[in-house]
Amino acid sequence: MKILITGGAGFVGSSLANLFRDEFPTAKIVCLDNLRRRGSELNVRIFKERNIQFVHGDIRNPSDLSDLHETFDVMIEASAEPSVHAGAQGDPSYVLHTNLVGSLNCFEFARKYVDRTIFLSTSRVYSISALNSIQLETHGNRFVPVPNQNLQGFSSCGIAENFCVAKAKSIYGASKLASELMALEYLNSYGTKIIINRCGVIAGRGQFGKVDQGVFTLWVANHYFGKPLKYIGYGGQGLQVRDLVHPRDLYTLMKSQLEMAESCAGEVYNIGGGLSVSTSLSEYTEHCRRITEREVEIACEPNTNQLDVPLYLTDSSKAEKTFGWKPALDSAGIVEDIYNWIHDNESDLRPIFA
Ligand SMILES: NC(=O)c1ccc[n+]([C@@H]2O[C@H](COP(=O)([O-])OP(=O)(O)OC[C@H]3O[C@@H](n4cnc5c(N)ncnc54)[C@H](O)[C@@H]3O)[C@@H](O)[C@H]2O)c1
């Protein structure tokens, strides 16, 4: 088997590369990445000893892909500028050229040289105003949805694939949705098999978390290194809720999807931990305190950024029904995985997080 992972030095890409390697010792695995994300270079170091080929390349340049001069059984398109805030304050060219034009370059490469492709999209394709219209109440230290709301695509299980995408969603979200549309056209016009996963928050070891992306890793790291944090928005109490999914669970799902690619190409799946693997930031602080045995100062910034949403819970029923998939790792397990990674790589990670 030959596998190409774009963004392969990033958090998700490198995690998947390692998981493929664990299960398929003889597979050819190529990770292409331009190393734009600070810290990605650390993930590359272990590729050599794991017989994973690294190619320094940029998906904005079609020739960086065609220069591979190879066909692949599988491509995972995991390269991106993954922050929802990307381009919001100014020039959107990087996010658009990578997340939209770059993804198109990948699909074009897939058309010619790849049998099955998985495109990592995002829950951020859903409209912010629609997400904000979910009525919430406060239970303990988290927001919870008020029962029995009449909103298309929303239920007590969370947000399903038919939730509103019609209104503004951020430059990041729009770039991903536009790529999704093109993936469908590639299937329709050329038979290019592309499966689309709209992921909620993915969290686990190997992520170089920042305030604007990867905050759940940053939260553990700041507890570990004794650095202050800030609850931002919604009154600054840390009540906002997300569900989490670990790359290992994503990997399990992807294998089923690749096996069933003939029937599920062109399908869109919401992928996330759902209510049972959800946490508010405030609850997450408790996990971090428990595992690091440390409390850090957490400031309150009551004002809410216009791109933020108070709650996102994934309804993964479609993926669960189709593939018999259910995430195995819960929030505590994910925190433990991140903690162990930081602990085992403390000297490498200190310059990045501390
Ligand atoms: N992490 C999450 O919570 C999450 C949630 C939903 C969707 N996603 C999607 O999953 C994918 C992987 O995200 P991640 O968390 O691993 O992010 P990441 O930043 O860790 O990894 C992305 C990688 O892409 C590389 N990259 C950026 N621009 C590139 C370019 N022009 N050419 C080649 N490589 C480039 C970066 O250097 C980085 O290593 C992205 O498509 C992201 O939008 C992530």
Side-chain angles (χ1 to χ4, degrees):
M1 181 161 57
K2 286 162 80 178
I3 303 160
L4 171 64
I5 305 179
T6 51
F11 159 50
V12 178
S14 65
S15 304
L16 295 173
N18 282 307
L19 289 160
F20 274 116
R21 172 54 75 229
D22 291 344
E23 189 169 349
F24 302 100
T26 59
K28 172 160 186 160
I29 303 173
V30 178
C31 286
L32 181 142
D33 200 297
N34 71 352
L35 300 183
R36 172 170 164 104
R37 179 69 177 255
R38 184 170 179 225
S40 293
E41 66 285 355
L42 294 178
N43 289 332
V44 173
R45 283 186 325 189
I46 56 162
F47 284 173
K48 215 172 204 165
E49 68 203 50
R50 305 228 61 208
N51 191 24
I52 294 168
Q53 189 186 329
F54 176 67
V55 174
H56 191 270
D58 195 310
I59 61 162
R60 292 172 298 169
N61 304 328
S63 60
D64 285 5
L65 291 157
S66 56
D67 283 354
L68 294 171
H69 296 299
E70 270 188 88
T71 57
F72 290 89
D73 302 295
V74 168
M75 176 167 74
I76 312 290
E77 212 296 72
S79 57
E81 165 45 73
S83 168
V84 71
H85 299 283
Q89 302 294 323
D91 186 356
S93 69
Y94 189 85
V95 59
L96 291 176
H97 281 102
T98 291
N99 294 12
L100 179 51
V101 181
S103 293
L104 278 175
N105 290 337
C106 292
F107 300 158
E108 180 56 17
F109 180 78
R111 178 176 80 83
K112 295 176 184 159
Y113 303 115
V114 182
D115 183 41
R116 292 156 285 163
T117 297
I118 294 181
F119 174 57
L120 284 176
S121 187
T122 170
S123 56
R124 284 308 198 138
V125 299
Y126 297 113
S127 303
I128 291 176
S129 57
L131 291 168
N132 279 330
S133 71
I134 298 169
Q135 290 171 46
L136 304 175
E137 54 194 11
T138 304
H139 274 199
N141 51 2
R142 69 152 64 197
F143 291 131
V144 295
V146 169
N148 304 321
Q149 298 185 45
N150 192 15
L151 255 181
Q152 180 183 295
F154 179 73
S155 71
S156 58
C157 299
I159 284 132
E161 292 81 359
N162 60 341
F163 195 78
C164 173
V165 294
K167 295 185 179 162
K169 63 235 350 130
S170 71
I171 301 276
Y172 167 70
S175 69
K176 289 285 191 175
L177 186 64
S179 298
E180 285 188 12
L181 293 176
M182 288 313 300
L184 300 184
E185 297 309 323
Y186 264 68
L187 174 67
N188 197 40
S189 296
Y190 313 119
T192 311
K193 296 190 284 285
I194 305 174
I195 300 155
I196 296 162
N197 286 332
R198 288 181 182 161
C199 303
V201 173
I202 309 168
R205 61 177 50 228
Q207 184 179 38
F208 301 97
K210 310 179 284 168
V211 173
D212 67 337
Q213 207 267 338
V215 74
F216 288 94
T217 307
L218 181 76
W219 221 256
V220 183
N222 279 23
H223 277 82
Y224 188 94
F225 291 113
K227 287 184 65 185
L229 287 162
K230 201 187 267 185
Y231 291 131
I232 302 174
Y234 308 101
Q237 304 298 307
L239 301 176
Q240 56 267 58
V241 171
R242 297 289 185 273
D243 61 350
L244 312 178
V245 67
H246 192 275
R248 215 180 300 154
D249 284 320
L250 194 56
Y251 172 77
T252 309
L253 170 80
M254 283 182 172
K255 273 197 319 165
S256 304
Q257 291 178 319
L258 291 167
E259 277 163 22
M260 293 170 59
E262 281 307 328
S263 59
C264 66
E267 292 292 330
V268 173
Y269 300 95
N270 274 8
I271 304 302
L275 184 61
S276 61
V277 196
S278 70
T279 178
S280 70
L281 258 189
S282 167
E283 291 166 347
Y284 197 74
T285 298
E286 293 307 318
H287 286 303
C288 292
R289 286 179 178 165
R290 202 171 309 122
I291 197 152
T292 60
E293 297 177 344
R294 174 177 271 162
E295 287 194 20
V296 298
E297 181 199 332
I298 305 185
C300 298
E301 168 52 65
N303 296 327
T304 306
N305 185 286
Q306 60 164 353
L307 296 178
D308 207 354
V309 293
L311 171 136
Y312 189 88
L313 294 173
T314 312
D315 180 352
S316 302
S317 308
K318 180 177 172 185
E320 288 174 20
K321 278 187 205 125
T322 312
F323 307 106
W325 175 78
K326 225 170 172 45
L329 258 89
D330 62 10
S331 307
I334 290 173
V335 170
E336 192 180 333
D337 186 52
I338 297 170
Y339 173 86
N340 289 338
W341 172 63
I342 297 172
H343 183 265
D344 295 347
N345 298 280
E346 188 180 320
S347 56
D348 288 334
L349 296 180
R350 185 178 288 279
I352 290 174
F353 287 117

